[in-house]
């Protein structure tokens, strides 16, 4: 339950004072604990709930140039395979650091859907169902936040970093779960200026307005917040309803975050320069670093998007190979450093990493040296907590056009992710139309061989 500030008093309650004082007292020691070695944190880690980090590849990444290469075939293109840390598993030469961590990864090469439209496919992969008005299906992060989140947590239970929502805004929505399970958007992709420059620094992932202007005293801020809370309560008392309650929830969570040390999780300047460099000084790299900082503080779901600032990212209809090479050079150090740091801090066993986009790319290379939308046969990756790594699931044909072994559907993938997180995928929620709906389609089949 979100903490409420009393609206019928001029000063915070004794409980508020104690709570805020305690947050100030433990802030420094908490940060120190977070930097400690994994063995020193063993008792706390044993009590951790699982977390999920979704690495969302906006636009649909080419499986033929990342995790399912076809060397020697005319569809294969110019990229070469390299060995990984697991004998017999090979991936793209442009993902060498990720290749060195393949023992933690289950590569699914047999994804197959029927949705080749960006908007519908984005919705399907992120929500588990196709759009079916009037039902407002919640996105995966909201579902996980409801199942694993703490309503009283100072940090949001769902954070979306650098999202690109233009394809389908509803794919990022909490849907019928309500606004208390909505994500906090950080570093959202914005159109570029007329001169081609982005509106924000490429690695700027700060949360806006967490601090009051220096010209406004803390006492004044407190008084204004109490007045606003009183007005909110008065309005909701007369106009109760989901929109008003949703606004109230958002306001209370924002005030809570402003008043606690937890907001320092978003301050990447706390990290050594060498660590920030290892992730990559770009929005995706720094987003992965922020994801690590958030999950180690108990945030159950964080997603980081690659390919969202005024470009379609992996939607490589033209010049595919240069585009994928550039994107891979951003992905590789960020993803590998994320897994390495999680492992070093004793967090990888409780953190599931999901790598996916909305579909794959055509095996056949088009006249523009590009690859087009292809949902028939493509790849995703699960890694870390709850996953038996060092495996490949499924096989595609020598030309990459069809699934020849172990076809995997979107519900299968999401049910597997839920089970890896310790969540029953058949859990039901009551929808906005009064009908109970399971987290994942009841026809889903968990990929049992990769669930730890």
């Amino acid at each position: 339950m979100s903490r409420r500030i009393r609206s019928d008093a001029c000063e915070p309650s004794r409980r508020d004072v104690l709570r805020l004082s305690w947050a100030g007292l433990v802030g420094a020691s908490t940060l120190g604990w977070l930097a400690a070695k994994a063995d020193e944190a063993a008792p706390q880690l044993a009590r951790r709930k699982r977390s999920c980090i979704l690495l969302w590849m906006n636009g649909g990444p080419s499986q033929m140039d990342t995790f399912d290469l076809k060397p020697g075939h005319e569809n294969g293109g110019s990229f070469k395979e390299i060995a990984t840390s697991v004998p017999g598993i090979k991936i793209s030469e442009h993902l060498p650091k990720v290749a060195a961590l393949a023992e933690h990864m289950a590569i699914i090469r047999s994804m197959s859907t029927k949705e080749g439209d960006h908007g519908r496919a984005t919705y399907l992969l992120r929500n588990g169902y196709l759009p079916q008005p009037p039902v407002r299906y919640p996105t995966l992060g909201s579902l996980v936040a409801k199942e694993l989140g703490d309503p009283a947590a100072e940090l949001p239970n769902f954070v979306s970093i650098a999202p690109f929502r233009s394809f389908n805004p509803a794919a990022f929505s909490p849907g019928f779960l309500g606004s208390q399970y909505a994500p906090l958007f950080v570093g959202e992709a914005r159109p570029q200026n007329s001169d081609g420059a982005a509106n924000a620094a490429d690695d700027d992932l700060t949360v806006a307005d967490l601090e009051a202007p220096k010209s406004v005293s803390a006492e004044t801020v407190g008084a204004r917040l109490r007045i606003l809370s009183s007005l909110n309560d008065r309005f909701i008392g007369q106009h109760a309803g989901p929109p008003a309650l949703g606004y109230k929830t958002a306001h209370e969570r924002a005030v809570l975050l402003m008043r606690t040390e937890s907001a320092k999780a978003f301050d990447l300047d706390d990290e050594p320069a060498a660590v920030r460099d290892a992730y990559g000084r770009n929005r995706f790299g720094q987003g992965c670093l922020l994801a690590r900082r958030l999950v180690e503080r108990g945030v159950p779901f964080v997603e980081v998007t690659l390919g969202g600032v005024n470009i379609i990212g992996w939607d490589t209809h033209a010049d595919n190979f240069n585009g994928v090479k550039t994107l891979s050079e951003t992905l590789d150090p960020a993803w590998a450093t994320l897994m390495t740091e999680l492992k070093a801090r004793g967090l990888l066993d409780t953190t599931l990493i999901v790598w996916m986009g909305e579909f794959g790319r055509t095996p056949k290379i088009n006249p523009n040296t590009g690859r087009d939308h292809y949902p028939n046969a493509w790849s995703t990756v699960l890694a870390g907590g709850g996953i038996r790594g060092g495996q490949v699931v499924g096989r595609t044909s020598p030309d990459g056009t069809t699934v020849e072994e172990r076809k995997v559907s979107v519900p299968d993938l999401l049910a597997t992710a839920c089970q890896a997180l310790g969540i029953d995928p058949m859990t039901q929620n009551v929808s906005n139309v009064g009908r109970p709906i399971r987290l994942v389609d009841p026809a889903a089949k968990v990929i049992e061989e990769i669930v730890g």
Side-chain angles (χ1 to χ4, degrees):
M1 182 179 297
S2 299
R3 181 175 64 88
R4 294 179 57 181
I5 299 174
R6 288 174 53 191
S7 60
D8 59 346
C10 295
E11 297 296 331
S13 68
R14 179 174 179 273
R15 182 177 179 181
D16 287 332
V17 171
L18 290 173
R19 181 185 175 93
L20 295 173
S21 299
W22 178 246
L25 287 170
V26 302
S29 61
T30 301
L31 293 174
W33 175 83
L34 292 169
K37 297 178 181 178
D39 58 347
E40 295 172 350
Q44 291 89 341
L45 291 173
R47 296 193 294 270
R48 273 180 54 86
K49 289 184 178 180
R50 293 185 182 272
S51 297
C52 180
I53 297 175
L54 169 60
L55 304 180
W56 179 253
M57 303 295 105
N58 192 66
S62 169
Q63 71 284 356
M64 302 282 285
D65 306 302
T66 51
F67 290 101
D68 191 15
L69 279 70
K70 302 295 181 182
H73 195 281
E74 64 178 342
N75 291 347
S78 59
F79 287 7
K80 296 180 176 60
E81 288 183 321
I82 59 170
T84 69
S85 60
V86 179
I89 298 179
K90 295 182 179 181
I91 64 173
S92 166
E93 63 181 316
H94 300 299
L95 298 171
K97 294 180 179 179
V98 169
L101 295 164
E103 70 271 20
H104 302 295
M105 303 163 60
I107 301 170
I108 302 169
R109 290 178 173 165
S110 52
M111 293 294 303
S112 184
T113 73
K114 297 179 180 179
E115 298 302 326
D117 171 75
H118 282 298
R120 285 174 62 85
T122 296
Y123 194 95
L124 174 62
L125 265 293
R126 297 176 58 87
N127 298 48
Y129 294 88
L130 285 170
Q132 299 178 38
V135 179
R136 299 192 299 271
Y137 291 103
T139 190
L140 177 62
S142 297
L143 292 169
V144 173
K146 181 177 184 296
E147 296 302 316
L148 299 182
D150 177 2
E154 294 172 348
L155 285 169
N157 287 305
F158 174 14
V159 178
S160 179
I161 301 171
F164 182 86
R165 295 190 282 167
S166 297
F167 285 148
N168 195 328
F172 293 79
S173 165
F176 58 67
L177 291 183
S179 59
Q180 64 267 43
Y181 301 109
L184 171 67
F185 293 113
V186 180
E188 185 161 12
R190 302 176 178 87
Q192 292 179 338
N193 297 320
S194 57
D195 62 359
N199 287 331
D202 196 35
D203 61 353
D204 179 15
L205 297 174
T206 56
V207 179
D209 302 322
L210 273 185
E211 295 183 0
K214 293 182 179 179
S215 58
V216 181
S217 69
E219 291 77 9
T220 300
V221 170
R224 291 175 178 176
L225 288 174
R226 287 191 292 275
I227 292 171
L228 179 58
S229 181
S230 177
L231 293 173
N232 287 343
D233 286 343
R234 185 181 304 172
F235 180 86
I236 291 172
Q238 299 172 355
H239 307 280
L245 292 173
Y247 168 79
K248 178 179 173 63
T249 298
H251 169 255
E252 290 176 344
R253 295 305 300 270
V255 171
L256 178 60
L257 185 58
M258 288 172 60
R259 290 188 166 185
T260 67
E261 290 290 318
S262 295
K264 288 188 175 181
F266 296 93
D267 186 1
L268 299 184
D269 288 337
D270 283 348
E271 295 288 335
V275 171
R276 298 191 66 178
D277 291 343
Y279 278 92
R281 294 281 187 159
N282 52 71
R283 187 161 294 196
F284 180 76
Q286 299 304 288
C288 286
L289 171 55
L290 177 55
R292 185 267 287 166
R293 289 172 62 87
L294 291 170
V295 299
E296 71 183 344
R297 289 163 169 82
V299 176
F301 194 94
V302 184
E303 61 184 22
V304 191
T305 298
L306 175 55
V309 182
N310 200 43
I311 58 173
I312 307 304
W314 297 87
D315 195 30
T316 51
H317 291 282
D319 198 19
N320 171 81
F321 299 99
N322 284 327
V324 173
K325 179 177 182 292
T326 298
L327 288 161
S328 296
E329 289 170 348
T330 298
L331 172 66
D332 189 49
W335 187 0
T337 304
L338 173 63
M339 286 200 290
T340 299
E341 280 221 293
L342 289 172
K343 183 179 179 181
R345 293 164 182 262
L347 299 170
L348 189 57
D349 288 342
T350 57
T351 305
L352 171 69
I353 298 173
V354 181
W355 181 90
M356 67 180 184
E358 57 265 41
F359 39 58
R361 315 301 300 180
T362 51
K364 184 175 178 58
I365 302 166
N366 68 30
N368 295 317
T369 321
R371 298 191 190 272
D372 303 316
H373 302 181
Y374 200 71
N376 295 10
W378 50 289
S379 301
T380 57
V381 180
L382 300 178
I387 296 298
R388 295 192 187 104
Q391 297 189 63
V392 170
V393 174
R395 184 181 72 245
T396 54
S397 57
D399 63 359
T401 59
T402 61
V403 173
E404 289 194 337
E405 178 184 290
R406 193 67 162 90
K407 184 177 289 188
V408 175
S409 69
V410 171
D412 295 342
L413 175 70
L414 298 184
T416 304
C418 284
Q419 188 153 314
L421 289 167
I423 299 171
D424 180 358
M426 294 299 107
T427 298
Q428 296 185 132
N429 291 300
V430 178
S431 71
N432 58 294
V433 296
R435 178 164 61 92
I437 294 178
R438 299 185 189 277
L439 302 188
V440 179
D441 189 298
K445 297 179 181 179
V446 171
I447 309 171
E448 298 286 355
E449 62 266 36
I450 68 171
V451 179

